[in-house]
Short mmCIF file of all heavy atoms in Angstrom, two decimals:
data_model
loop_
_atom_site.label_atom_id
_atom_site.label_comp_id
_atom_site.label_asym_id
_atom_site.label_seq_id
_atom_site.Cartn_x
_atom_site.Cartn_y
_atom_site.Cartn_z
N LYS A 6 17.39 25.79 -28.03
CA LYS A 6 17.52 27.19 -27.64
C LYS A 6 18.97 27.65 -27.67
O LYS A 6 19.88 26.89 -27.43
CB LYS A 6 16.93 27.39 -26.24
CG LYS A 6 15.43 27.13 -26.17
CD LYS A 6 14.93 27.30 -24.76
CE LYS A 6 13.44 27.04 -24.67
NZ LYS A 6 12.94 27.16 -23.29
N MET A 7 19.17 28.90 -27.94
CA MET A 7 20.52 29.49 -27.94
C MET A 7 21.02 29.62 -26.51
O MET A 7 20.30 30.04 -25.63
CB MET A 7 20.48 30.85 -28.62
CG MET A 7 21.83 31.52 -28.70
SD MET A 7 22.90 30.68 -29.84
CE MET A 7 22.58 31.64 -31.32
N THR A 8 22.28 29.23 -26.30
CA THR A 8 22.83 29.34 -24.95
C THR A 8 23.13 30.79 -24.59
O THR A 8 22.98 31.20 -23.46
CB THR A 8 24.13 28.53 -24.84
OG1 THR A 8 25.08 29.06 -25.77
CG2 THR A 8 23.89 27.08 -25.13
N GLY A 9 23.70 31.54 -25.55
CA GLY A 9 24.08 32.90 -25.27
C GLY A 9 25.24 33.02 -24.32
O GLY A 9 25.48 34.06 -23.74
N ALA A 10 26.00 31.91 -24.13
CA ALA A 10 27.03 31.89 -23.09
C ALA A 10 28.18 32.83 -23.40
O ALA A 10 28.64 33.55 -22.53
CB ALA A 10 27.58 30.47 -22.94
N GLN A 11 28.67 32.82 -24.64
CA GLN A 11 29.83 33.61 -24.95
C GLN A 11 29.64 34.50 -26.18
O GLN A 11 30.46 35.35 -26.46
CB GLN A 11 31.03 32.68 -25.21
CG GLN A 11 31.52 31.97 -23.96
CD GLN A 11 32.22 32.90 -23.03
OE1 GLN A 11 33.04 33.73 -23.44
NE2 GLN A 11 31.91 32.84 -21.75
N THR A 12 28.57 34.29 -26.93
CA THR A 12 28.44 34.98 -28.20
C THR A 12 26.99 35.01 -28.62
O THR A 12 26.19 34.19 -28.21
CB THR A 12 29.26 34.27 -29.29
OG1 THR A 12 29.08 34.93 -30.53
CG2 THR A 12 28.84 32.82 -29.46
N ASN A 13 26.65 35.99 -29.43
CA ASN A 13 25.30 35.99 -30.00
C ASN A 13 25.32 35.42 -31.42
O ASN A 13 24.33 35.51 -32.13
CB ASN A 13 24.72 37.43 -30.01
CG ASN A 13 25.59 38.40 -30.80
OD1 ASN A 13 26.60 38.01 -31.41
ND2 ASN A 13 25.21 39.68 -30.77
N LYS A 14 26.45 34.85 -31.82
CA LYS A 14 26.55 34.22 -33.13
C LYS A 14 26.03 32.79 -33.06
O LYS A 14 26.14 32.11 -32.04
CB LYS A 14 27.99 34.23 -33.61
CG LYS A 14 28.57 35.62 -33.86
CD LYS A 14 30.02 35.52 -34.29
CE LYS A 14 30.61 36.92 -34.55
NZ LYS A 14 32.05 36.84 -34.92
N SER A 15 25.48 32.31 -34.18
CA SER A 15 25.00 30.93 -34.22
C SER A 15 26.15 29.95 -34.36
O SER A 15 26.03 28.79 -33.95
CB SER A 15 24.01 30.76 -35.38
OG SER A 15 24.64 31.04 -36.62
N ILE A 16 27.26 30.38 -34.96
CA ILE A 16 28.47 29.57 -35.07
C ILE A 16 29.62 30.36 -34.47
O ILE A 16 29.85 31.52 -34.81
CB ILE A 16 28.80 29.24 -36.55
CG1 ILE A 16 27.65 28.49 -37.21
CG2 ILE A 16 30.09 28.44 -36.64
CD1 ILE A 16 27.40 27.10 -36.68
N CYS A 17 30.34 29.75 -33.54
CA CYS A 17 31.50 30.41 -32.92
C CYS A 17 32.51 29.33 -32.53
O CYS A 17 32.44 28.77 -31.43
CB CYS A 17 31.06 31.21 -31.70
SG CYS A 17 32.44 32.09 -30.91
N VAL A 18 33.39 29.01 -33.46
CA VAL A 18 34.40 27.98 -33.21
C VAL A 18 35.75 28.50 -33.67
O VAL A 18 36.06 28.48 -34.86
CB VAL A 18 34.06 26.65 -33.91
CG1 VAL A 18 35.17 25.62 -33.69
CG2 VAL A 18 32.72 26.10 -33.40
N TYR A 19 36.54 29.00 -32.72
CA TYR A 19 37.86 29.57 -33.01
C TYR A 19 38.98 28.73 -32.38
O TYR A 19 40.10 29.21 -32.26
CB TYR A 19 37.93 31.01 -32.54
CG TYR A 19 37.06 31.95 -33.35
CD1 TYR A 19 35.73 32.17 -33.02
CD2 TYR A 19 37.58 32.61 -34.48
CE1 TYR A 19 34.94 33.04 -33.77
CE2 TYR A 19 36.80 33.46 -35.23
CZ TYR A 19 35.48 33.67 -34.88
OH TYR A 19 34.69 34.52 -35.63
N ASN A 20 38.65 27.53 -31.94
CA ASN A 20 39.66 26.66 -31.35
C ASN A 20 39.08 25.26 -31.24
O ASN A 20 37.88 25.04 -31.47
CB ASN A 20 40.09 27.17 -29.97
CG ASN A 20 38.91 27.29 -29.02
OD1 ASN A 20 38.37 26.31 -28.55
ND2 ASN A 20 38.47 28.53 -28.77
N GLU A 21 39.94 24.31 -30.84
CA GLU A 21 39.53 22.90 -30.67
C GLU A 21 39.24 22.53 -29.24
O GLU A 21 38.64 21.49 -29.00
CB GLU A 21 40.64 21.98 -31.18
CG GLU A 21 40.76 21.88 -32.69
CD GLU A 21 39.62 21.12 -33.33
OE1 GLU A 21 39.29 20.00 -32.86
OE2 GLU A 21 39.05 21.64 -34.30
N ILE A 22 39.64 23.37 -28.28
CA ILE A 22 39.60 22.93 -26.87
C ILE A 22 38.84 23.86 -25.95
O ILE A 22 38.65 23.53 -24.78
CB ILE A 22 41.03 22.74 -26.34
CG1 ILE A 22 41.80 24.06 -26.40
CG2 ILE A 22 41.76 21.62 -27.09
CD1 ILE A 22 43.12 24.05 -25.63
N GLY A 23 38.40 25.03 -26.41
CA GLY A 23 37.65 25.93 -25.55
C GLY A 23 36.38 25.24 -25.03
O GLY A 23 35.85 24.32 -25.67
N LYS A 24 35.90 25.68 -23.89
CA LYS A 24 34.70 25.10 -23.30
C LYS A 24 33.62 24.93 -24.35
O LYS A 24 33.20 25.89 -25.00
CB LYS A 24 34.20 25.96 -22.15
CG LYS A 24 32.87 25.55 -21.56
CD LYS A 24 32.93 24.21 -20.88
CE LYS A 24 31.57 23.85 -20.25
NZ LYS A 24 31.57 22.47 -19.71
N LEU A 25 33.17 23.71 -24.54
CA LEU A 25 32.15 23.41 -25.55
C LEU A 25 30.78 23.80 -25.01
O LEU A 25 30.38 23.37 -23.92
CB LEU A 25 32.17 21.92 -25.89
CG LEU A 25 31.23 21.42 -26.97
CD1 LEU A 25 31.48 22.14 -28.29
CD2 LEU A 25 31.37 19.91 -27.15
N ARG A 26 30.09 24.66 -25.75
CA ARG A 26 28.78 25.17 -25.30
C ARG A 26 27.62 24.51 -26.03
O ARG A 26 26.59 24.21 -25.43
CB ARG A 26 28.74 26.68 -25.50
CG ARG A 26 29.73 27.45 -24.66
CD ARG A 26 29.42 27.33 -23.18
NE ARG A 26 30.40 28.04 -22.35
CZ ARG A 26 30.33 28.11 -21.04
NH1 ARG A 26 29.33 27.54 -20.40
NH2 ARG A 26 31.26 28.76 -20.36
N THR A 27 27.75 24.33 -27.35
CA THR A 27 26.66 23.77 -28.14
C THR A 27 27.25 22.81 -29.18
O THR A 27 28.24 23.15 -29.83
CB THR A 27 25.87 24.87 -28.86
OG1 THR A 27 25.39 25.82 -27.91
CG2 THR A 27 24.68 24.28 -29.61
N VAL A 28 26.61 21.66 -29.32
CA VAL A 28 27.11 20.66 -30.24
C VAL A 28 25.94 20.01 -30.99
O VAL A 28 24.85 19.85 -30.45
CB VAL A 28 27.94 19.59 -29.51
CG1 VAL A 28 27.07 18.74 -28.60
CG2 VAL A 28 28.72 18.72 -30.48
N LEU A 29 26.18 19.68 -32.26
CA LEU A 29 25.18 19.03 -33.10
C LEU A 29 25.44 17.53 -33.17
O LEU A 29 26.58 17.12 -33.41
CB LEU A 29 25.21 19.62 -34.51
CG LEU A 29 24.20 19.05 -35.52
CD1 LEU A 29 22.77 19.41 -35.12
CD2 LEU A 29 24.52 19.55 -36.92
N LEU A 30 24.41 16.73 -32.93
CA LEU A 30 24.50 15.26 -33.02
C LEU A 30 23.37 14.70 -33.87
O LEU A 30 22.37 15.37 -34.10
CB LEU A 30 24.41 14.63 -31.61
CG LEU A 30 25.38 15.03 -30.52
CD1 LEU A 30 25.09 14.23 -29.26
CD2 LEU A 30 26.82 14.84 -30.95
N HIS A 31 23.56 13.45 -34.29
CA HIS A 31 22.45 12.66 -34.85
C HIS A 31 22.45 11.30 -34.19
O HIS A 31 23.45 10.56 -34.26
CB HIS A 31 22.57 12.50 -36.37
CG HIS A 31 21.55 11.52 -36.89
ND1 HIS A 31 20.18 11.76 -36.82
CD2 HIS A 31 21.69 10.29 -37.45
CE1 HIS A 31 19.53 10.74 -37.32
NE2 HIS A 31 20.41 9.82 -37.72
N ARG A 32 21.37 10.99 -33.53
CA ARG A 32 21.22 9.69 -32.86
C ARG A 32 20.92 8.61 -33.92
O ARG A 32 20.02 8.80 -34.72
CB ARG A 32 20.09 9.77 -31.84
CG ARG A 32 19.92 8.56 -30.95
CD ARG A 32 18.82 8.85 -29.96
NE ARG A 32 18.71 7.85 -28.92
CZ ARG A 32 17.66 7.02 -28.77
NH1 ARG A 32 16.65 7.06 -29.63
NH2 ARG A 32 17.63 6.15 -27.77
N PRO A 33 21.68 7.50 -33.94
CA PRO A 33 21.42 6.47 -34.96
C PRO A 33 19.96 6.01 -34.91
O PRO A 33 19.36 5.89 -33.84
CB PRO A 33 22.38 5.35 -34.56
CG PRO A 33 23.43 5.99 -33.73
CD PRO A 33 22.76 7.12 -33.01
N GLY A 34 19.42 5.73 -36.09
CA GLY A 34 18.04 5.30 -36.20
C GLY A 34 17.88 4.13 -37.15
O GLY A 34 18.83 3.36 -37.38
N GLN A 35 16.71 4.04 -37.77
CA GLN A 35 16.37 2.88 -38.60
C GLN A 35 17.32 2.71 -39.78
O GLN A 35 17.45 1.61 -40.33
CB GLN A 35 14.93 3.02 -39.11
CG GLN A 35 14.35 1.77 -39.76
CD GLN A 35 14.25 0.60 -38.80
OE1 GLN A 35 13.97 0.80 -37.62
NE2 GLN A 35 14.49 -0.61 -39.28
N GLU A 36 18.00 3.78 -40.17
CA GLU A 36 18.95 3.68 -41.28
C GLU A 36 20.04 2.62 -40.99
O GLU A 36 20.53 1.97 -41.92
CB GLU A 36 19.61 5.04 -41.55
CG GLU A 36 20.50 5.59 -40.48
CD GLU A 36 19.80 6.38 -39.40
OE1 GLU A 36 18.54 6.36 -39.35
OE2 GLU A 36 20.50 6.99 -38.56
N VAL A 37 20.41 2.46 -39.73
CA VAL A 37 21.41 1.46 -39.37
C VAL A 37 20.87 0.05 -39.57
O VAL A 37 21.59 -0.86 -39.97
CB VAL A 37 21.86 1.69 -37.91
CG1 VAL A 37 22.72 0.54 -37.40
CG2 VAL A 37 22.62 3.01 -37.79
N GLU A 38 19.57 -0.13 -39.33
CA GLU A 38 18.93 -1.43 -39.54
C GLU A 38 18.82 -1.79 -41.01
O GLU A 38 18.60 -2.94 -41.36
CB GLU A 38 17.54 -1.45 -38.90
CG GLU A 38 17.52 -1.37 -37.40
CD GLU A 38 17.73 -2.72 -36.72
OE1 GLU A 38 18.90 -3.16 -36.62
OE2 GLU A 38 16.72 -3.34 -36.32
N ASN A 39 18.97 -0.81 -41.88
CA ASN A 39 18.86 -1.07 -43.31
C ASN A 39 20.21 -1.35 -43.97
O ASN A 39 20.32 -1.40 -45.18
CB ASN A 39 18.19 0.12 -44.01
CG ASN A 39 16.67 0.06 -43.88
OD1 ASN A 39 16.10 -1.01 -43.74
ND2 ASN A 39 16.03 1.21 -43.90
N ILE A 40 21.25 -1.56 -43.16
CA ILE A 40 22.53 -2.01 -43.67
C ILE A 40 22.51 -3.54 -43.75
O ILE A 40 22.22 -4.21 -42.75
CB ILE A 40 23.70 -1.58 -42.75
CG1 ILE A 40 23.72 -0.06 -42.55
CG2 ILE A 40 25.03 -2.04 -43.33
CD1 ILE A 40 24.74 0.38 -41.51
N VAL A 41 22.76 -4.09 -44.93
CA VAL A 41 22.82 -5.53 -45.11
C VAL A 41 24.16 -5.92 -45.71
O VAL A 41 24.80 -5.09 -46.38
CB VAL A 41 21.65 -6.05 -45.97
CG1 VAL A 41 20.32 -5.82 -45.27
CG2 VAL A 41 21.64 -5.34 -47.32
N PRO A 42 24.61 -7.16 -45.51
CA PRO A 42 25.96 -7.54 -45.96
C PRO A 42 26.24 -7.28 -47.43
O PRO A 42 27.35 -6.86 -47.79
CB PRO A 42 26.01 -9.04 -45.64
CG PRO A 42 25.09 -9.20 -44.46
CD PRO A 42 23.97 -8.24 -44.72
#
Side-chain angles (χ1 to χ4, degrees):
K6 295 179 180 178
M7 181 69 94
T8 62
Q11 290 289 315
T12 178
N13 58 5
K14 295 179 180 178
S15 60
I16 301 293
C17 182
V18 177
Y19 291 88
N20 58 73
E21 285 289 311
I22 61 169
K24 173 65 178 174
L25 184 58
R26 296 294 178 178
T27 305
V28 68
L29 180 67
L30 303 181
H31 171 64
R32 187 176 189 247
Q35 192 63 36
E36 67 275 8
V37 170
E38 293 276 81
N39 279 333
I40 304 173
V41 294

